[in-house]
Amino acid sequence: MSSPASSVSRRVSRKASQFTESVIREMTREAMKYGAVNLSQGFPDFAAPEDIKRVAMQAIADDVNQYAITWGAKNFRDAIAKKTKWYLGFEIDPETEITVTCGSTEGMISAMMATVDPGDEVIVFEPFYENYAPDAILSDATPRYVPLRAPEWSFDRNELRAAFNQKTKAIIICNPNNPTGKVFTRDEMNFIAGLCQEFDTLCFTDEIYEHILYPREDAEIAHISMAQIEGMRDRTVIVNSMSKTYSVTGWRVGYCIASPEITSAIRKVHDFLTVGAAAPLQAAGAYALSLPPEYYDELQKEYEARRDLVLPELEKAGFGTFRPDGAYYVMTDISGFGFKDDVEFTRHLIREVGVACVPGSSFYSDPAKGSQQVRFCFCKKDETLMLAAERLKKLRV
Ligand SMILES: Cc1ncc(COP(=O)(O)O)c(C=O)c1O
């Protein structure tokens, strides 16, 4: 028997009623249902590194099976501090400036819940990774969207400046960016940093694609963390994770790096939300984050080859593509296919063509803005990408 609408509305919170389930994760379920090649949700279908898996298995065998320290096992935090010093070039204190979380997903929401009050505004570049909108609702933040405009996905500086005001608590930057593949330039980062200082705001930086960059001849493509910029170290929360760099998205191990004051607030939220991330996987994390630079060089080369394989295939099939400089997604323009919108196109692609993508509208506050875009991921084996390319031929008329 169905319940009357009034009792349903009393049982579900206003917050939970304001957002839908993740469209990205839903597309994976749709792909499974219709046997489509899954280029929607960003997770590899190739094996995770053998040595990292071996350390995790050994940790379980060695009985690293009980709660780790709530804010992270010491050896993992030490490894994070050491790697950060190597890659980003600054010291962090593993005792007071790191919180290990259940993926960067928990890192972002914990950071927001630890710092944002009702009425505070948080600036989000759009298109955005879809979690940020529910993150804002759950942490009582009011999001203010600032467009990144194709094809370069650049922002208008006056527009960004106009989004900052006395209520602004923070800006979220996903760099390298999902879904656009944009890598923010030093000049852009300096400009944003200037506004954060002028308006006394924080910056949450999602840096989970920090090692997935594609060098270009005509421009410098380098990962710049907001925390590296003069005056920003104390007002930046770096959110990062093992998921993408070590191809272990199912492990759910991430971390936040922030000043001691912010870290102690994040640690409290984190403790009562989850107690902690999986202990044996943190042991494997301590190993993974100590790998030599060659590991990251290889990862980058492999992703560059996948990007170069997938882009021409999408173009041949009739998509307009926005060439990514980082991360492992391609945003595409579907206007050449004549579909009413991205949702109808995606349904057709999954059910009739046998390839899953993510409708562009799920990355925008106003669905109309993404109605002629879809996103593909290419963190897949060559044979998976080639199978998708083969199926996409059906799209050509
Ligand atoms: C930008 C971005 N942030 C966070 C996540 C989730 O990462 P994690 O597995 O660390 O929770 C993803 C996953 O696709 C992502 O693309």
Side-chain angles (χ1 to χ4, degrees), residues 42 102-106 129 131-132 174 178 206 208-209 240-244 249 252-254 329 375:
C102 298
S104 62
T105 300
E106 194 234 328
Y129 172 58
N131 279 35
Y132 304 150
C174 177
N178 173 10
D206 183 334
I208 70 167
Y209 299 104
N240 210 329
S241 162
M242 290 185 69
S243 288
K244 314 290 178 173
T249 59
R252 318 306 307 126
V253 178
Y329 306 96
R375 188 201 76 176

Side-chain angles (χ1 to χ4, degrees), residues 206-226:
D206 183 334
E207 303 188 12
I208 70 167
Y209 299 104
E210 63 182 342
H211 291 288
I212 305 180
L213 300 163
Y214 310 113
R216 253 163 72 158
E217 286 190 352
D218 58 341
E220 198 206 349
I221 302 296
H223 175 65
I224 299 160
S225 171
M226 190 51 97

Side-chain angles (χ1 to χ4, degrees), residues 144-147 149 155-164:
R144 276 185 77 114
Y145 298 103
V146 173
R149 290 199 176 83
F155 58 88
D156 180 303
R157 293 186 179 204
N158 292 329
E159 223 167 350
L160 181 62
R161 163 171 282 283
F164 276 81

Side-chain angles (χ1 to χ4, degrees), residues 25-41 43 350 354-356:
R25 269 86 76 187
E26 186 192 341
M27 288 309 114
T28 286
R29 296 193 294 274
E30 284 283 289
M32 287 163 82
K33 193 160 146 195
Y34 292 96
V37 179
N38 189 2
L39 303 189
S40 60
Q41 192 180 358
F43 61 86
I350 293 177
V355 178

